[in-house]
Each structure stands twice: as structure tokens, then as C-alpha cells.
Amino acid sequence: MKEESPKAIFYALAANMGIAVCKFAAAAFTGSGAMFAEAIHSSADCGNQVLLLFGLRQARRPASPLHPLGAGRAIYFYSLIVALLLFFVGGAFSVYEGVHRVLVREPLSYAYVALTVLGVSVVLEALSLAGAMREIRKTNPDKSLWRWFRETRESELLVVAGEDIAALAGLAIAFVAVLLTMLTGNPLFDALGSVGVGLLLMVIAYLVAREVKSMIIGESASPEVRRAIDAHLRARSEIRSVINLITLQWGRHVVVAVQAEMIEYDSGRAMVDAINIIEAELQEKFPQVRWVFFEPDVPRV
């Protein structure tokens, strides 16, 4: 399995840093609540990407007596923190800002400036999302985006893609809100745009957090990897039948536990040698399999 690639995270970080600066300047210049909500969102995204990079570094720590399987699942923790920040810092704050502007109407100045910044932001976010999609398609060329979202075990890429999708949709909402405010002169549209952006972020954050929570609890390897491992084992001439197979995703690595009925051997040593060969060839074919626990057994009646 490939090492975690931070390319998508760097794409997103670079895009969001530039976008955040432009949005804050435009929000101060125009007084747009929707633009301010978008600026807060982009700032939160920058912090989120830094957290993900830190999480990837933590996940590479070697095994120790305290953590005998290593720290690979640390990235799941940091991904959950990012999802929570997206929900509260990005989503809840944007809703609060929008509600405040509904109650206290503030005029929008120089709307064309806000629209220009939003248009530029759409381009930058689209480039960031394209980078994330390239990383996704490298290993999942035939899956729909939704299926990949539900089945992926790469939490950091899941978070980046979720953020980018939320950002593009949020920009569209903010653009429409500012445009309606400019055309009608009614700042209510701008305030409602801020609420809409916030609610959208909260929904995306919930979906991301739900998937990451499942990884933290402990998910098997992806369905296609588990099926391939099962087929590989059942094709082995040394194995009469696979009684039970458990896979557990551990960051970028996979833990495999096998309970199998072996063919007859002249001695216990011969069976041990056969099991060692099976384990070595399994790890050779599936480089992501770091640990294999093999138990010879007989089926229970």
C-alpha cells in the first residue's frame, strides 16, 4: 500500500491560505456577513490541514511496548478533531454570524468586490479539490465518490475531500447571497447566506465525523482488499479451508488474523514452516499487511 501522501493536504493548505486572506479583506471592505463567514471557514480549514499534517507525522511513530502495533491509528484521532472544528468553528460560528445579521441588518458595500473574491476562491478551491480527486483516483479509479466516501480507510484524504466539497458548495451559496443582496438592496439575503453556509458545513462535518468514528472503533480493511486476501488464502494448497478471517485497518497498514484448517503434515514443524511461507507470501502480495496472526484449527461441528 502506498505511504500516506500529504499532497492533497498541501494543495488544500496553499489554496485556503490565499483564499482566507482575500476573504477577510473583502469582508472588511464590503461588510458582507456571508463573506465573513466564508473567511472564518477558510481560516478554520488552514488550521485543520496543519492538524492533519501533524497527525500523519504522529501516525508514523514506530511500535513500542506501550503501542505494540505502532501509532498508525493516530491519524483517525486528528481527523475527528478536524471534523469537530469544521462543525463548531466553521459551521456553528457561521450560523451565529448569520443570525446576528438577520437581527441587526448591516448594509453591504462594494458587492462587486465580494463577488470577484468569491469567483477567485471558487477557482482555487476547485484546484484543491482536483488535487484531492487525483489522489483518490490513483487507488479507486472505478468507484463513485459516494462509495469511496463510505468505504475509504484514508481518513486524512476523506477530511480534505469533504472540506473541499463543502467549500465549493459554500462559495456557491455565498455568491448567490451577495448577488441577491446587490440586486435587491436587501441585506437579509446576505445574512441568510451566512446561515446557509454554516448549516452546510455542519452537515458535511457530521458526515465526515461519522465515517472517522467508525475507523476509530475499528474497521476491517476495505471490502476489495478483504475479498482479495480471502481469495488468496483459499487458493493456497496448504490450506484445506479458511474457518475465519479478520482484517483490521491500522492507519495505512492492515492487521490480519487467520483461522484455517491445514492439510495433513508429517510433523508440527512441517506445518509451522508451511504457515511461515503462507504469511511471507501474503505480505509480499499485500504490502499493506504488516501483521499476520495465523492459527491452525479444525472446524467446529
Side-chain angles (χ1 to χ4, degrees):
M1 183 180 181
K2 69 182 179 68
E3 297 287 312
E4 299 106 321
S5 173
K7 287 183 180 179
I9 302 176
F10 282 122
Y11 292 148
L13 179 59
N16 282 310
M17 287 180 66
I19 291 171
V21 171
C22 293
K23 286 178 180 177
F24 272 119
F29 191 67
T30 63
S32 168
M35 179 62 70
F36 186 68
E38 278 292 317
I40 293 296
H41 171 205
S42 295
S43 299
D45 282 352
C46 289
N48 290 346
Q49 276 109 44
V50 171
L51 270 178
L52 288 177
L53 290 171
F54 181 75
L56 286 177
R57 182 176 180 181
Q58 293 294 301
R60 293 190 180 102
R61 289 181 299 174
S64 67
L66 182 61
H67 300 104
L69 298 184
R73 292 175 71 177
I75 186 59
Y76 300 157
F77 169 77
Y78 289 97
S79 296
L80 182 61
I81 294 299
V82 166
L84 292 176
L85 289 174
L86 183 63
F87 186 95
F88 290 105
V89 178
F93 183 82
S94 295
V95 171
Y96 166 79
E97 179 67 17
V99 171
H100 171 73
R101 288 176 180 264
V102 168
L103 299 176
V104 181
R105 304 289 178 84
E106 297 182 11
L108 177 64
S109 305
Y110 304 102
Y112 65 90
V113 174
L115 292 175
T116 301
V117 171
L118 288 171
V120 172
S121 299
V122 166
V123 174
L124 293 176
E125 287 290 0
L127 291 174
S128 175
L129 180 58
M133 291 302 298
R134 281 195 298 272
E135 295 299 308
I136 292 170
R137 294 306 178 201
K138 283 180 182 178
T139 52
N140 303 274
D142 301 322
K143 286 185 180 180
S144 67
L145 184 60
W146 177 247
R147 183 183 168 196
W148 171 85
F149 184 87
R150 296 306 309 272
E151 294 182 356
T152 184
R153 305 303 189 256
E154 296 178 273
S155 62
E156 70 283 359
L157 193 52
L158 174 75
V159 170
V160 170
E163 282 184 343
D164 287 344
I165 291 169
L168 277 174
L171 287 167
I173 293 173
F175 189 93
V176 172
V178 172
L179 182 62
L180 288 174
T181 300
M182 182 180 71
L183 295 176
T184 64
N186 187 351
L188 178 62
F189 290 110
D190 182 61
L192 293 177
S194 179
V195 174
V197 169
L199 292 176
L200 172 70
L201 293 178
M202 294 170 78
V203 169
I204 297 293
Y206 166 75
L207 293 175
V208 170
R210 183 183 65 179
E211 296 300 319
V212 175
K213 170 196 162 188
S214 182
M215 297 180 198
I216 290 175
I217 292 173
E219 287 188 339
S220 66
S222 61
E224 61 270 19
V225 170
R226 191 189 185 285
R227 286 193 297 267
I229 291 174
D230 184 69
H232 174 80
L233 292 171
R234 293 184 186 278
R236 299 290 308 194
S237 60
E238 305 93 335
I239 296 176
R240 181 168 293 161
S241 66
V242 175
I243 301 170
N244 193 20
L245 171 64
I246 296 175
T247 63
L248 178 64
Q249 192 73 38
W250 201 274
R252 71 179 185 271
H253 297 302
V254 175
V255 181
V256 176
V258 184
Q259 186 182 30
E261 181 183 12
M262 304 292 290
I263 63 174
E264 295 294 333
Y265 284 93
D266 295 333
S267 65
R269 176 57 186 268
M271 182 181 291
V272 169
D273 290 341
I275 290 174
N276 287 337
I277 292 173
I278 293 171
E279 292 178 344
E281 293 188 4
L282 178 67
Q283 290 175 309
E284 182 180 356
K285 183 170 183 179
F286 301 94
Q288 66 268 50
V289 175
R290 174 66 65 87
W291 302 274
V292 182
F293 302 98
F294 199 106
E295 178 188 359
D297 205 344
V298 294
R300 298 179 183 178
V301 179

